């Protein structure tokens, strides 16, 4: 019984010593040293405008990263992507693998290869999750994830003249 009390006392003392020394630190929601996390907006245009019929569409995406947390001094950035893919109001133009280059405020660049895309359609919005890797530049060999929340296209416009654009917010992480 005395050994059990000593063991618990030792364990408690060790945990307190680690906490006080800074070796036992609680997890935070911020990116770890070497990781990049950005928040921003996405503007996507469709030519021809999206309808309920799937057809070959030029999809142009402009991403503006207005708030970034990164130990290398990246605080903002921008990226542009243009692809031609079969699209409709249901698919929103997200399809095959794609490559995009981001230009950061500190003059650095990152080339990303998106290899998987999933679209979850909710009542008013769609959540798009892209995963891939940084193939060149800042963060090379890091895994990358981008989560985009877009307002769903207007159903009446999809049935008529079409939807020329979509906007949303997004989060990008390198790990």
């Amino acid at each position: 019984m005395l050994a059990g009390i000593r063991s618990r006392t030792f364990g408690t003392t060790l945990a307190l010593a680690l906490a006080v020394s800074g070796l036992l630190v609680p997890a935070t929601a911020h990116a770890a040293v070497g990781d990049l996390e950005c928040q921003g907006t996405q503007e996507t245009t469709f030519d021809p405008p999206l309808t309920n019929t799937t057809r070959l569409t030029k999809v142009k995406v402009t991403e503006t990263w207005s708030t970034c947390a990164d130990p290398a001094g990246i605080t903002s950035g921008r990226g542009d992507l243009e692809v031609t893919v079969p699209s409709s109001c249901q698919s929103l133009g997200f399809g095959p693998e794609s490559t995009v280059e981001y230009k950061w405020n500190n003059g650095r660049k990152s080339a990303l290869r998106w290899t998987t895309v999933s679209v979850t359609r909710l009542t008013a919005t769609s959540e798009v999750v892209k995963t891939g890797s940084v193939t060149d530049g800042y963060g090379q060999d890091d895994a990358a994830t981008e989560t985009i929340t877009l307002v769903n296209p207007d159903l009446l416009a999809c049935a008529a003249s079409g939807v020329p654009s979509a906007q949303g917010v997004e989060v990008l992480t390198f790990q």
Side-chain angles (χ1 to χ4, degrees):
M1 182 170 184
L2 189 54
I5 293 172
R6 283 185 192 157
S7 176
R8 283 192 299 268
T9 302
F10 176 75
T12 303
T13 304
L14 179 61
L16 286 171
L18 288 172
V20 170
S21 70
L23 294 175
L24 187 64
V25 179
T28 64
H30 302 290
V33 173
D35 290 349
L36 170 74
E37 183 174 318
C38 293
Q39 297 178 2
T41 58
Q42 182 179 100
E43 172 76 27
T44 305
T45 59
F46 309 103
D47 184 21
L50 297 181
T51 64
N52 290 324
T53 303
T54 300
R55 57 188 171 180
L56 207 54
T57 306
K58 185 188 330 180
V59 180
K60 184 176 183 202
V61 178
T62 301
E63 297 174 294
T64 304
W65 304 108
S66 55
T67 306
C68 297
D70 174 70
I74 293 173
T75 58
S76 62
R78 183 178 167 91
D80 295 296
L81 171 67
E82 191 172 304
V83 294
T84 300
V85 294
S87 303
S88 70
C89 282
Q90 287 70 42
S91 70
L92 300 175
F94 292 99
E97 294 184 8
S98 60
T99 301
V100 64
E101 181 178 83
Y102 293 119
K103 297 173 183 157
W104 306 112
N105 66 290
N106 64 357
R108 298 178 93 168
K109 296 178 183 179
S110 299
L112 279 78
R113 179 79 179 153
W114 298 117
T115 53
T116 61
V117 178
S118 70
V119 179
T120 304
R121 194 165 185 116
L122 305 170
T123 304
T125 61
S126 289
E127 183 177 85
V128 180
V129 178
K130 300 191 299 186
T131 59
S133 61
V134 182
T135 58
D136 193 32
Y138 179 72
Q140 185 169 354
D141 298 325
D142 279 357
T145 303
E146 185 175 71
T147 303
I148 310 153
T149 304
L150 295 169
V151 175
N152 284 334
D154 178 88
L155 295 176
L156 294 175
C158 289
S161 61
V163 175
S165 65
Q167 300 78 33
V169 295
E170 57 187 347
V171 176
L172 171 71
T173 57
F174 292 3
Q175 298 177 336

